[in-house]
Amino acid sequence: MVKNNQKNGYRYLVTTSFSGCTVPTKNVIDVSDYILLHGNGAKNPERLLQLADDTRKALGNKKMPIVNNEDDHFDFDKPNNNFTTSIKSYVSWGYLDFRFPGETNFEEGYQSVPVDWGINSKRKKGFFKLVSQITGINNGK
């Protein structure tokens, strides 16, 4: 039904996500326009490499974007982390940063209400520093 809808001449793209570290099933791959993965549960970056490889095997000859939609692992100061591992395997990576239990400072987390949208916590600064290093964009700093 969604694929029958358009806006400004473009068809809506369709996908769905599964729980952490799960390869989508064939029936979902067959009707999806792109793949959503979740890095939740990946204890180490190598697990994301395996997840990307397993997903590409499940795709067979079908080519489509793969997005690691949600990952609650950080370690941005380490040379190998879930973010760098994902992009090295040509999988987009989605930053999931929520306020952990016991964190009372509103500067922590982007997914926790109320949200402080600034780049002012250790995790947020670590993420954006790594993005800057990867892209070569430092916003004049």
Side-chain angles (χ1 to χ4, degrees):
M1 290 176 10
V2 173
K3 286 186 173 188
N4 292 327
N5 291 301
Q6 290 189 11
K7 185 168 184 175
N8 299 328
Y10 294 97
R11 179 181 64 77
Y12 288 175
L13 300 177
V14 175
T15 195
T16 191
S17 62
F18 284 67
S19 60
C21 293
T22 303
V23 176
T25 55
K26 181 181 179 341
N27 62 325
V28 169
I29 290 170
D30 288 345
V31 297
S32 293
D33 292 303
Y34 59 101
I35 298 297
L36 284 182
L37 301 175
H38 285 253
N40 316 55
K43 302 273 189 244
N44 60 56
E46 290 74 29
R47 178 65 185 102
L48 291 184
L49 286 175
Q50 187 65 51
L51 182 60
D53 289 345
D54 291 346
T55 299
R56 286 192 177 96
K57 287 176 189 167
L59 290 173
N61 291 328
K62 190 171 184 179
K63 303 290 183 204
M64 65 174 68
I66 301 174
V67 178
N68 188 340
N69 183 52
E70 182 176 292
D71 194 334
D72 57 356
H73 296 83
F74 311 106
D75 296 327
F76 300 124
D77 57 331
K78 295 181 181 172
N80 266 344
N81 58 60
N82 286 13
F83 180 21
T84 58
T85 298
S86 289
I87 62 173
K88 286 176 187 173
S89 62
Y90 298 96
V91 173
S92 178
W93 190 80
Y95 177 42
L96 171 65
D97 183 15
F98 55 90
R99 198 171 301 120
F100 288 98
E103 291 181 334
T104 57
N105 186 342
F106 292 134
E107 292 175 348
E108 299 293 347
Y110 283 128
Q111 275 81 15
S112 301
V113 177
V115 177
D116 180 332
W117 291 106
I119 303 172
N120 45 19
S121 72
K122 182 179 179 184
R123 286 192 303 270
K124 292 174 184 179
K125 289 176 183 178
F127 170 73
F128 284 102
K129 180 179 178 183
L130 184 54
V131 168
S132 176
Q133 291 169 348
I134 291 168
T135 62
I137 299 171
N138 65 11
N139 293 327
K141 296 179 183 176

